[in-house]
């Protein structure tokens, strides 16, 4: 029986977007904390340069431009939905500005979830996510049945160095671990 086809190349051209809905599960035992109304507007500014931006997409596009210059690479700006794709080694890192949620999401597919040996895979991913992945973590994209590396950061107060670090981290972890995990678990 032959190996399962590798779908990563197809995905490099396909937009890796965040789901449009986010589900938050509540436990039966909840602690209720009084919530104060937030009156503070988000801050879209780079501390190092002092540059301010009118909105999150403009800020992230400026950071993408700086990153492209430093990496000497052509990088597309965010599309109207707040998404772009950046290649880092063998990894394709989707960058999603989720302004309605106030967050920036980096996601890189690693391998398909195998049909067998899932418990061993999940344990390995949890162990790796403890310290090996730095500010990123492995996760399972249920809709695509894929293992991904992801990092989430609040948009307000994000400076360029944090942006670059998160992009580099997600790309490096995905690039470093895709072949190893595929050799160990298939997919």
């Amino acid at each position: 029986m032959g190996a399962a086809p590798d779908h990563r190349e197809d995905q490099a051209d396909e937009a890796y977007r965040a789901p449009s809905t986010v589900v938050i599960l509540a436990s039966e035992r909840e602690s209720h904390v009084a919530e104060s109304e937030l009156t503070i507007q988000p801050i879209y500014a780079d501390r190092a340069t002092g540059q301010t931006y009118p909105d999150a997409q403009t800020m992230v596009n400026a950071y993408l431009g700086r990153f492209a210059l430093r990496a000497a690479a052509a990088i597309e700006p965010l599309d109207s939905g707040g998404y772009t794709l950046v290649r880092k080694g063998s990894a394709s890192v989707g960058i999603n500005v989720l302004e309605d949620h106030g967050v920036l999401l980096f996601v890189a597919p690693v391998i398909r979830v195998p049909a067998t040996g899932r418990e061993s895979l999940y344990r390995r991913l949890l162990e790796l996510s403890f310290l090996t992945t730095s500010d990123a973590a492995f996760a399972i994209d249920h809709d695509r049945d894929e293992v991904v590396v992801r990092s989430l950061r609040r948009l307000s107060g994000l400076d360029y160095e944090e942006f670059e670090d998160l992009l580099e981290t997600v790309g490096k972890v995905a690039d470093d671990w895709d072949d190893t995990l595929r050799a160990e678990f298939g997919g």
Side-chain angles (χ1 to χ4, degrees):
M1 181 180 263
D6 184 1
H7 299 286
R8 289 189 68 216
E9 288 302 315
D10 296 337
Q11 294 164 350
D13 297 329
E14 185 179 313
Y16 200 94
R17 297 181 184 275
S20 59
T21 59
V22 177
V23 178
I24 299 173
L25 301 176
S27 67
E28 290 180 22
R29 291 178 39 165
E30 292 183 10
S31 298
H32 294 280
V33 177
E35 294 185 31
S36 60
E37 285 190 38
L38 294 178
T39 57
I40 301 170
Q41 293 298 316
I43 299 168
Y44 301 126
D46 185 2
R47 287 183 290 232
T49 65
Q51 175 73 41
T52 60
Y53 305 95
D55 57 54
Q57 284 203 16
T58 303
M59 176 183 70
V60 172
N61 274 328
Y63 292 172
L64 284 166
R66 275 175 73 181
F67 185 83
L69 286 174
R70 289 175 61 112
I75 297 175
E76 291 293 318
L78 298 169
D79 65 17
S80 61
Y83 172 83
T84 196
L85 188 71
V86 175
R87 296 284 298 178
K88 294 293 300 163
S90 64
S92 297
V93 181
I95 301 173
N96 298 269
V97 172
L98 305 173
E99 202 157 359
D100 290 350
H101 298 285
V103 297
L104 180 64
L105 175 65
F106 296 87
V107 182
V110 179
I111 63 170
R112 307 269 314 153
V113 175
T116 61
R118 288 180 175 203
E119 184 177 336
S120 297
L121 170 66
Y122 298 158
R123 180 175 181 90
R124 179 85 158 115
L125 296 176
L126 286 170
E127 290 169 349
L128 290 171
S129 291
F130 181 60
L131 293 175
T132 305
T133 57
S134 187
D135 290 332
F138 285 103
I140 304 296
D141 180 329
H142 179 270
D143 293 338
R144 295 177 185 252
D145 204 28
E146 287 182 317
V147 173
V148 299
V149 177
R150 66 100 173 136
S151 188
L152 194 67
R153 167 60 165 85
R154 186 170 55 103
L155 282 161
S156 182
L158 175 71
D159 61 31
Y160 174 75
E161 286 71 23
E162 292 171 299
F163 173 85
E164 181 179 32
D165 180 58
L166 291 170
L167 177 53
E168 291 284 352
T169 297
V170 170
K172 182 173 181 358
V173 171
D175 187 38
D176 288 352
W177 286 97
D178 56 357
D179 294 331
T180 301
L181 291 171
R182 189 171 293 108
E184 287 181 35
F185 300 100

